[in-house]
Amino acid sequence: MKEFKQFDIVSDYSDHYFASSNLSLFGKKKDCFTNANCSVLKRIMQEWKILENNLPETIYVRVYDQRMDLLRAVIVGAAGTPYHDGLFFFDFSFPPDYPNSPPNAHYHAHGMRLNPNLYSNGKVCLSLLNTWIGEKEARWNPRSSTILQVLVSLQGLVLNRKPFYNEPGRPIFPNEKLSRSYNNKIFLLSCKTMLVLLKKPPKSFEGFVHQHFCTRANFILQACKAYMEGRAIVGYYRDYGSRSSSTIEDSAEFKAQMVKLYPDL
């Protein structure tokens, strides 16, 4: 199969979340995305170069030759998290005063809430996007913040090992039993998201989605089976699935839901 580039410029933006709404809000300011002398366009092109040269291995980006205000990214769920092997898509739009204002973001949620920071309607809560209250140094800075930093923050701070604690106040009262239960729920939703993506992958990522799941299918199914049988904690199959000598106590409801979902996978 043809190698899928981490960064590429494509043409079809028809299914992008901001495709129809973005330019209609700008009026005359839309020239900032077509005028080569505009500082906004220059900044976006600089960020394209940053992305092309510095993307982590598990983040892929597509930008558009006819709509430079739009960007789409997918983050591959990391090992050691309940998101492992999942694909998580985000659509971004650059505002007409960029970088004075941060990018607008939309998560492809498919009606499911996989994280306290990612809502089922696609809303993304992140200090760096100024959509969540955070320390001043964690908020968008027009002089130094970039879309690459946003993507890395989503990968490391949102799609992390224990997303239960992303909810404000929870780190003050740690509860590992509830955290594990939350991870179980997240993994189920992640699997359901996989099925949605296989049926209708986002445009310009069709080949990537197919290739990713063809490559990772066996591991995903082995992990699911280990979780169903109580041989591994959700998120840790890679490290502990084959060595666990005792059954891991997960809820009967979780195991029943995994048994029901497994044939579809």
Side-chain angles (χ1 to χ4, degrees):
M1 183 176 292
K2 183 179 178 181
E3 180 183 359
F4 192 85
K5 297 179 180 178
Q6 277 195 269
F7 176 90
D8 204 1
I9 303 171
V10 297
S11 298
D12 190 353
Y13 55 84
S14 58
D15 69 334
H16 195 285
Y17 180 78
F18 297 102
S20 60
S21 62
N22 209 30
L23 286 184
S24 63
L25 300 175
F26 298 161
K28 294 181 180 179
K29 290 184 179 180
K30 68 182 180 182
D31 291 342
C32 65
F33 299 113
T34 58
N35 186 342
N37 295 318
C38 178
S39 61
V40 175
L41 186 60
K42 290 180 179 178
R43 171 62 181 262
I44 291 173
M45 294 188 71
Q46 288 174 358
E47 297 219 24
W48 281 15
K49 281 293 183 184
I50 293 172
L51 292 168
E52 187 175 12
N53 296 321
N54 298 283
L55 279 172
E57 291 184 358
T58 52
I59 299 179
Y60 297 79
V61 169
R62 292 297 177 264
V63 295
Y64 306 91
D65 50 9
Q66 299 300 314
R67 287 292 301 272
M68 296 184 69
D69 57 308
L70 305 180
L71 181 148
R72 171 169 288 168
V74 60
I75 299 174
V76 181
T81 76
Y83 304 101
H84 71 77
D85 293 295
L87 299 178
F88 306 94
F89 282 88
F90 297 85
D91 284 355
F92 296 91
S93 71
F94 296 99
D97 64 342
Y98 189 78
N100 292 327
S101 298
N104 302 301
H106 175 82
Y107 167 60
H108 288 228
H110 309 291
M112 294 177 278
R113 190 173 185 183
L114 283 82
N115 190 282
N117 299 80
L118 305 176
Y119 286 67
S120 60
N121 63 0
K123 181 180 179 181
V124 179
C125 284
L126 190 69
S127 297
L128 191 54
L129 293 172
N130 291 351
T131 52
W132 186 251
I133 300 172
E135 299 295 331
K136 183 178 180 180
E137 59 271 17
R139 293 175 67 80
W140 182 263
N141 184 328
R143 293 182 298 276
S144 59
S145 298
T146 66
I147 190 71
L148 176 61
Q149 290 178 336
V150 172
L151 294 173
V152 171
S153 294
L154 287 170
Q155 181 184 53
L157 301 179
V158 176
L159 302 173
N160 59 30
R161 293 177 61 186
K162 297 181 178 182
F164 174 80
Y165 295 111
N166 285 16
E167 191 74 39
R170 285 181 179 166
I172 302 174
F173 306 104
N175 189 319
E176 287 303 294
K177 183 177 180 180
L178 287 178
S179 177
R180 272 188 53 188
S181 177
Y182 188 82
N183 278 6
N184 293 352
K185 172 187 172 184
I186 294 308
F187 182 74
L188 284 165
L189 292 176
S190 180
C191 288
K192 292 179 181 179
T193 301
M194 294 179 193
L195 294 174
V196 173
L197 290 172
L198 281 167
K199 292 178 180 177
K200 191 175 181 180
K203 290 186 181 298
S204 301
F205 283 89
E206 295 93 339
F208 175 76
V209 171
H210 179 265
Q211 182 180 29
H212 172 78
F213 287 121
C214 280
T215 302
R216 299 299 298 166
N218 188 51
F219 180 85
I220 294 169
L221 292 174
Q222 288 179 352
C224 288
K225 192 172 182 181
Y227 301 153
M228 281 191 293
E229 296 172 353
R231 292 186 287 109
I233 298 172
V234 165
Y236 292 90
Y237 174 72
R238 183 187 302 274
D239 296 324
Y240 305 116
S242 61
R243 298 200 300 267
S244 179
S245 58
S246 58
T247 300
I248 293 166
E249 293 299 325
D250 276 322
S251 70
E253 181 184 2
F254 167 70
K255 292 179 180 178
Q257 290 186 62
M258 283 300 312
V259 170
K260 184 178 179 180
L261 184 63
Y262 189 79
D264 291 333
L265 291 169

